[in-house]
Amino acid sequence: MQRLAPPPHSEDAVLEVKKTTCYMCACRCGIRVHLRDGQVRYIDGNPDHPLNQGVICAKGSSGIMKQYSPARLTRPLRRKAGAERGEGAFEPISWEEAFSVLAERLARIRATDPKKFALFTGRDQMQALTGLFARQFGTPNYAAHGGFCSVNMAAGLIYTIGGSFWEFGGPDLDRAKLFVMIGTAEDHHSNPLKIALSKFKRQGGRFVSINPVRTGYSAIADEWVPIRPGTDGAFLLAVIHEIIDKGLYDREFLVQYSNAGELVNVDEANDEFGMFVRTEVPEEEACYDPQDKLWWDRNTNRPVVTHTPGADPFLLGDFRLHDGTPVKPAFQLLQERVKDYTPEWASQITGIPADTIRRLAHEMGVVARDQRIELPVAWTDAWGREHDTVTGNPVAFHAMRGLAAHSNGFQTIRALGILMSILGTIDRPGGFRHKVPFPRPIPPCARPPNDPRAVRPNTPLDGMPLGWPADPDDLFVDGEGKPVRIDKGFSWEYPLSVHGLMHNAITNAWRGDPYRIDTLLIFMANMAWNSTMNAVEVRKMLNDKDEDGEYRIPFIVVADAFHSEMTAFADLILPDTTYLERHDVMSILDRPISEFDGPVDSVRVPVVPPTGECKPFQDVLIELGSRLKLPAFTTKDGQRKFRDYPDFIVNFETEPGSGIGFLAGWRGKGGEKSMRGEPNPSQWEMYQKHDCVFHYELPKSYQYMRNWNRGYLEWSQRNRITRYAEPIPIHIYSEVLMRFRQAARGKGFSRKPPEHLRKRVETYFDPLPFYYDPLEAELTDRQKYPLAAITQRPMAMYHSWDSQNAWLRQIHAHNYLFVNSHTARVAGIGDGDWIWVESQWGRVRCMARHSEAVEPGTVWTWNAIGKARGAWNLAEDANESRRGFLLNHLISEELHTRDGATVSNSDPVTGQAAWYDVRVRIVKADPGEPEETSPQFPALKPYPGMEVRKGILAYLGRKLGGGGR
Amino acid sequence: MTQLALVIDLNVCVGCHACVTSCKEWNTSGSAGPMTDLNPYGKDPTGTFFNRVQTFEVGEFPNTETVHFPKSCLHCEDPPCVPVCPTGASYKRKEDGIVLVDYDKCIGCKYCSWACPYGVREFDEDQKVMKKCTLCVDRIYDARLPEADRKPACVKACPPGARLFGDIHDPDSVVSRAIREEGGYPLMPEWGTHPSNHYLPRRKTRIRIHEDELVRADNPLRVDRQQPGPSKAEPTMDDFSW
Amino acid sequence: MHPAFSVIFLTTLIGAGQGLFLALFTAQTYAAFDLLPAQTGPGFYGPGSLLALAFLAAGLLASFFHLGRPERAWRAATQWRTSWLSREVIVLPAFMGTVFLYGLAHWLDWRPVLLVLPSGLPVDPTAVLGVAGTVLAFLLFVCTGMVYACLRFLREWHTPLTVINFVLLGGASGFTLAAGLAAVAAPALVPFFAGWAAIITFLGLVGRGASLWRNRRLRPGSTVQSAIGVKHPRIVQRSQGFMGGSFNTREFFHGRTGAWLKGVKWGFLLAAFVVPTLLLGAGTAGGVGGALFVFIVQYAGLIAERWYFFAEANHPQNLYYRSMA
Ligand SMILES: Nc1nc2c(c(=O)[nH]1)N[C@H]1C(S)=C(S)[C@@H](COP(=O)(O)OP(=O)(O)OC[C@H]3O[C@@H](n4cnc5c(=O)[nH]c(N)nc54)[C@H](O)[C@@H]3O)O[C@H]1N2
Ligand SMILES: Nc1nc2c(c(=O)[nH]1)N[C@H]1C(S)=C(S)[C@@H](COP(=O)(O)OP(=O)(O)OC[C@H]3O[C@@H](n4cnc5c(=O)[nH]c(N)nc54)[C@H](O)[C@@H]3O)O[C@H]1N2
Ligand code: SF4
Ligand code: SF4
Ligand code: SF4
Ligand code: SF4
Ligand code: SF4
Ligand SMILES: [Mo]
């Protein structure tokens, strides 16, 4: 028994434990990295971290294999002269050479037309810095993954309740009694949600999952409600119908905290049709909802200004103002809207029995009303009324991309927001809870530029590259209404594309619509593979040349840590460090890891030195910013301002003396201040000493009802989180949307959409949620393509980036298309058979797996398991490329409408990529066909500087052993 | 006498595989290591794992349960893998009931794996010895670790806390209580191996809505004069009876 | 189970060796009772024992290929109290030693009378060694058989038929081999060996047939329901938790189709039993070539039989490894 007794390590080994933050996914748990003689040997969860409380997931536990992966890039590389893009023929160059090539090129672009430089970043967590860089450079062509990820979720809820799921808020499962999870497989909030789910279940809470597929979280649901993809809007509207019909809504909450009682002008002839009636014109153009609208008071039976003491508005009915204007409370309009959305109607669309819809609506309504929570927490509302307690209705929801990734997602998510609101569950115990910096005004204050003149040579962009349009005048279009951004963000096609449309960047740039660009910098996104739709064609576009032999996208720079499919198309590769090798911040200016009880931000500190010549991309940006003399990175006399990224983090302030920086913790000279304060030279050390997290716990009385909590709103204003301390009423009825519709109808003073988009804007900018079939479904012959195809994230893989991980790839080495057993049998497809999956856009050969856990009209697969041959330094016969496949080949980034126009395959409101709208059919492959997935791509070879992959891995208790056997 | 064991709560296991890789990670550089991987970057990668998470589908659509099912050595009280071992490399510790393999004695005959009905022993194709879950014996007694960390790696990792660890012979331990109160059961009881590890079944929470909860006194529609009900104009018995 | 050729060769080779030894000593015993012509001198039993030893040694050698760590093989002798494998490991060399001494005694014709039984039968060292060898041969059969038969959950093996068949099949191949040997060295004994070989082969057919018949009727002792503890008539595995295979998918699955299995079954029934019985019955073993042919056919049949023996065994662990996704 000598081997198994402690101690496991040799006596002279140097053991260290360093705390930092995980980045095997975007959840950002706290970890402890155990090192032996400087080598990473064990990574476990940090028990003192507020997010994961010591637990860790499958990916997080496999960090070692990422750190020592043979797919790592270790040297800056330049495409070999004469080699084609995509071939993967590179030569190593020095960083100095890389910087000078890049700085020279970028300086030229900046001096002429800054928008010819586009910077798109994928699943990163440093949008505060990349966004700053883009703005300082002067290009509007910047976006992160949000547009192809879940912008519908962000926009749909933020434009409704001032906050959202995702990193912005979540379900309070500590106190909920009923939890309804919709379209979620494995969220950004991975470990915390798992912790909460199990606590919730063990407390006896009831968990309902609405999802076409039952895996992962849905597996442990008390009830699984299979739904046809893209139809949740119908389901939610029917639930709202039933809740209103049975009187199960929280009237009092709606009256006080939403615009449900506010009177809408319903005089179709009037220019103000569809707008709230106002008592006065607001004195300043500010980004908050002024309290100048009317109620129809029940007591006096006449209109009064909202929140007039003693008044109580009618929520239903129709009224006439003294000038004869017909008006209705917003809630009345909602009731009318959902009148025909009966459970029976929804049943036809969703495939959920009407009785089930009705029962679920009753469960939600009755639990919300009869199991009310009351906490002895006194607070003051925005109108100065004191409350002795905080109350809550314990029905919580959570939803993610199952709702978001459809072209009708925005309105579906609006419906969800409204359902949560009429149940009275917004920022109350047991319901939805915000996380700082949310709630924010509806919409938040940042605006994109609205004029092409915002882009000028050698000048920072006049405005934030991404922001929140409040009306048509906020759109980023030129005089003719044409887009200014390469991705057509904030154009009339996708007016509220608050996260951009990264998924169209390459196609648009290739086509030169709206214009051509010069340099495309891609950071941490695999856009030649899984974050692109139509990957086969996009790969061709990346490689396509003009008649003159020049690439249509002249220069592509890829900053990545691994041998991804995208790197093959680069002209210049910048090797990034891993998360264990660099400083990072989960900034309060970006998407911090806040908790319900207050803001939390965190950092990453290096625990091992960079491998090879890897350089943190943040340092690369600081270096480039300094060389380009971008104002934020340069002193007045033109000198470099920041040594490196850690120095930048400590000393950068949004404006000189603002006291606002990337990190909220330990500010002030000695670290005595938080949220705001002068730079603190020892800020990093202080974070390090405190588990790399800063957690500010709000006083209890500020923790709830924050949209209308005076204490909180003032705290938030004092700490410069928000500009105003005004209440943030819930937008049951969205006047913001109505403004766009008005413009489309030729009304109002704002800009008007171009003719060909009038109808589109008018249709989709409905101030109340409505159901429509996803755009692609509408345009598809459903007889021919009867099935919906979707993907799910496996819990043990992060997008495309874990196939190089020796442990994780043993769990998912290739993927199958899951087909309902009955559907498969009818199609003559056996379990494990090779099949073709065909959409209007392409076909893929893969293997089928029968399943009872999928809705019969749906097929699905794990996302991004399939890989291009040879990529990620996998062997050419690796299962990922020979038996794995990517569903993206079946999905188009563009749709052709019936009138012949080409539009992005996206939500017409937000530009959210409609990944889950694709319709397919399945047929058995011929027996003679090769047993290999199709399409296949020419094999990628390893690049210079990459390690030779080992045939056997064995740690042997000391050192990563093994050799090329 | 102590019998340490894991109790796995299928009611909250989401099938995340955290226990799989955290086990691999701890043990690969712990004293039970290495946990050799073959073809780690090639075709059909394969390697030594002490713990696997499997998925079963129970029932037919739409009445489907998806059951995630983690499985490692069950540390049987009457382990059939031990007596068959010709070398004594496989043994069960008296003090805590952990079943272990002594790699220095094992001749790699694989016979013990044949004798285990649960398929939890893993032959290390590189070291050529039999390996299996050690219940992290090199963690749970390591006095250099903080008390809270003296738990199996998989238990510490498990995000929903679906893995409980303790002494099933101590009636007051968390595991005994869970087995007793939540209906914990062993696998394949038919072989009399008396597995120490137990599983807790799925439990369902239902809500029953009674009719009278839907016809409410506090119906807000009434406030807005929309309380559903017959109109005043309709005939009533009042019109007729006296 | 995945049939491992090391074990297939181990069991078939030592089985033939044991059988051959038993055949030799049976002949000697018959001769002692004058039921057969006595074979004096080193010409028959000596080479016969050597041949048996060669088979045993080859089997032993094959077994080493089964071990991950053959250099530690000696450790396998330590657990005789509980492990049939350990017992086998002890008995096999003991038996080999006995066979060696038995052969040596014959070779040297060292047959001093040690005592005379009341019946008047003289007992010499070859007789003592022969009896000891016989006991050990049977013990070895029991050990080998019990290595498999003791595994309760391998229900195809967990039956006395396993031990009986190891005895019968070893005996059959041994007697066939003896007939061949006799064709070279002692033609007079051919009918005796061939006759017994035919009889044992036929009994083997009965025994193996019985086990096939039994196994076909076996209901698995475990079900997926008991494997995961969920009571529902319809449970299917969707994912075994990994994709590239593992020890559990390599060691316990034969990976062949049902048709292949069927082919092997009929193949071994013909080659190991039917053909040899007919050929032996028809006197084919009379000539050296013929005898050799019969042995080769039968031995090939036994390899197939042993392959099938493994493939047929359905380990309950397989319930856990049925689907990847
Ligand atoms: N069919 C289908 N497609 C989808 C989705 C879907 O559901 N279905 N989901 C979409 C969604 S929501 C998203 S967010 C996208 C994600 O898509 P991407 O953002 O493209 O994410 P990854 O595939 O992980 O690729 C990120 C790149 O980051 C690299 N990387 C990893 N770590 C580091 C690092 O530390 N530094 C640097 N510089 N690079 C690193 C990886 O090597 C990889 O090349 O996929 C989208 N694509
Ligand atoms: N392990 C792991 N975790 C991750 C990631 C990862 O790659 N791996 N990626 C991270 C990223 S970038 C993101 S954006 C999040 C996304 O987190 P999720 O939103 O959970 O991601 P998806 O896997 O896209 O899950 C979509 C779910 O919606 C279901 N669905 C699809 N269409 C519909 C529909 O129309 N209606 C309903 N009700 N359901 C539907 C699918 O079956 C699936 O279960 O996960 C993050 N977390
Ligand atoms: S959930 Fe994400 S951040 Fe947390 S441990 Fe897992 S991989 Fe790391
Ligand atoms: S589960 Fe298998 S290996 Fe573990 S003690 Fe029981 S029989 Fe032995
Ligand atoms: S493989 Fe090792 S532990 Fe198993 S029976 Fe053989 S010697 Fe014993
Ligand atoms: S107890 Fe330890 S060895 Fe056993 S499965 Fe858990 S982590 Fe692995
Ligand atoms: S870590 Fe926990 S939840 Fe995840 S698979 Fe293992 S037992 Fe289940
Ligand atoms: Mo995403």
Side-chain angles (χ1 to χ4, degrees), chain A residues 1-4 7-9 32 36 41-44 54-58 61-62 64 70 191 194-195 198 201-202 204-206 214 216 219-222 224 244-249 251 298 314-316 335 362 367 369-370 795 804 807 809-811 820 851-856 874-875 877 879 949-953 955-956 965, chain B residues 9 11-14 16-18 21-22 24-26 28-29 31-34 36-47 49 57 59-62 64-66 68 91 100-102 104 126-127 137-139 144 149 153 156-162 202-207 209 213-214 216 218-221 223-226:
Chain A
M1 245 327 285
Q2 17 331 24
R3 285 300 294 280
L4 282 183
H9 4 255
R32 299 186 297 196
R36 193 183 304 161
R41 308 317 304 271
Y42 180 54
I43 300 175
D44 61 353
V55 307
I56 190 165
C57 79
S61 302
S62 305
I64 300 175
N191 282 337
K194 287 173 203 150
I195 297 172
S198 98
K201 281 205 74 180
R202 284 177 171 159
R206 173 164 159 80
R214 180 168 209 173
I220 61 166
D222 294 301
W224 171 46
I244 295 181
D245 187 61
K246 290 285 175 307
L248 292 170
Y249 53 93
R251 184 180 191 283
R298 284 198 311 134
F314 278 112
L315 288 189
L316 297 166
Q335 192 197 39
H362 297 168
V367 171
R369 304 224 54 182
D370 292 351
M795 291 198 186
Q804 39 75 30
W807 296 346
R809 78 178 281 260
Q810 292 187 52
I811 299 173
N820 179 286
S851 172
E852 296 296 332
V854 54
E855 189 276 319
L874 296 179
D877 59 357
N879 309 43
R949 44 171 196 267
K950 299 184 177 70
I952 295 187
L953 285 186
Y955 257 91
L956 285 173
R965 266 189 248 180
Chain B
D9 189 352
N11 192 39
V12 296
C13 169
V14 292
C16 68
H17 291 265
T21 58
S22 61
K24 174 98 174 173
E25 182 197 34
W26 168 254
T28 204
S29 12
S31 27
T36 313
D37 297 301
L38 304 181
N39 313 329
Y41 305 105
K43 189 176 191 296
D44 293 336
T46 171
F49 282 78
E57 285 178 8
E60 275 172 61
F61 180 87
T64 317
E65 291 283 335
T66 302
H68 297 298
Y91 65 103
L100 290 177
V101 179
D102 182 340
D104 292 338
D126 187 45
Q127 280 209 316
V137 67
D138 54 348
R139 289 191 66 82
R144 292 165 307 178
D149 280 342
K156 254 168 23 81
C158 178
R202 282 274 166 81
R203 296 174 290 278
K204 290 243 180 260
T205 305
R206 292 203 169 75
I207 292 182
I209 303 293
E213 287 166 319
L214 294 175
R216 311 178 62 96
D218 63 354
N219 191 328
L221 289 170
V223 180
D224 288 302
R225 298 194 294 226
Q226 290 217 359

Side-chain angles (χ1 to χ4, degrees), chain C residues 296-313:
Chain C
I296 288 172
V297 170
Q298 184 165 46
Y299 187 72
L302 286 181
I303 288 181
E305 185 278 334
R306 210 49 46 93
W307 189 95
Y308 189 83
F309 173 76
F310 282 97
E312 186 188 28

Side-chain angles (χ1 to χ4, degrees), chain B:
Chain B
M1 220 185 64
T2 308
Q3 174 64 62
L4 296 179
L6 298 173
V7 169
I8 292 154
D9 189 352
L10 299 182
N11 192 39
V12 296
C13 169
V14 292
C16 68
H17 291 265
C19 48
V20 174
T21 58
S22 61
C23 168
K24 174 98 174 173
E25 182 197 34
W26 168 254
N27 285 299
T28 204
S29 12
S31 27
M35 307 262 282
T36 313
D37 297 301
L38 304 181
N39 313 329
Y41 305 105
K43 189 176 191 296
D44 293 336
T46 171
T48 316
F49 282 78
F50 292 169
N51 184 32
R52 308 275 193 182
V53 176
Q54 314 192 314
T55 305
F56 293 83
E57 285 178 8
V58 177
E60 275 172 61
F61 180 87
N63 301 312
T64 317
E65 291 283 335
T66 302
V67 176
H68 297 298
F69 183 81
K71 177 168 65 72
S72 50
C73 168
L74 308 166
H75 298 279
C76 302
E77 303 218 34
D78 200 352
C81 57
V82 167
V84 301
C85 172
T87 63
S90 260
Y91 65 103
K92 185 171 176 70
R93 306 203 332 163
K94 291 235 159 44
E95 62 272 38
D96 53 15
I98 300 181
V99 175
L100 290 177
V101 179
D102 182 340
Y103 298 170
D104 292 338
K105 283 190 188 157
C106 175
I107 56 171
C109 68
K110 306 176 184 165
Y111 190 38
C112 52
S113 70
W114 297 7
C116 166
Y118 305 105
V120 293
R121 291 185 159 246
E122 292 246 345
F123 186 69
D124 187 315
E125 306 279 3
D126 187 45
Q127 280 209 316
K128 303 286 183 201
V129 292
M130 193 56 74
K131 300 188 170 178
K132 61 177 275 303
C133 161
T134 66
L135 265 187
C136 286
V137 67
D138 54 348
R139 289 191 66 82
I140 57 179
Y141 297 114
D142 189 344
R144 292 165 307 178
L145 292 176
E147 180 75 45
D149 280 342
R150 286 180 225 156
K151 280 189 217 149
C154 58
V155 172
K156 254 168 23 81
C158 178
R163 305 173 73 85
L164 313 177
F165 170 69
D167 175 10
I168 56 162
H169 285 178
D170 169 3
D172 297 324
S173 66
V174 269
V175 281
S176 298
R177 236 177 300 132
I179 294 170
R180 209 163 50 232
E181 289 166 14
E182 312 284 356
Y185 63 85
L187 305 183
M188 293 186 185
E190 58 272 20
W191 302 121
T193 55
H194 302 290
S196 304
N197 286 9
H198 282 68
Y199 288 77
L200 306 182
R202 282 274 166 81
R203 296 174 290 278
K204 290 243 180 260
T205 305
R206 292 203 169 75
I207 292 182
R208 263 196 73 88
I209 303 293
H210 300 274
E211 265 311 300
D212 52 2
E213 287 166 319
L214 294 175
V215 186
R216 311 178 62 96
D218 63 354
N219 191 328
L221 289 170
R222 191 164 56 180
V223 180
D224 288 302
R225 298 194 294 226
Q226 290 217 359
Q227 167 79 310
S231 120
K232 283 187 200 113
E234 277 174 44
T236 70
M237 288 189 195
D238 275 351
D239 305 333
F240 200 77
S241 58
W242 61 89

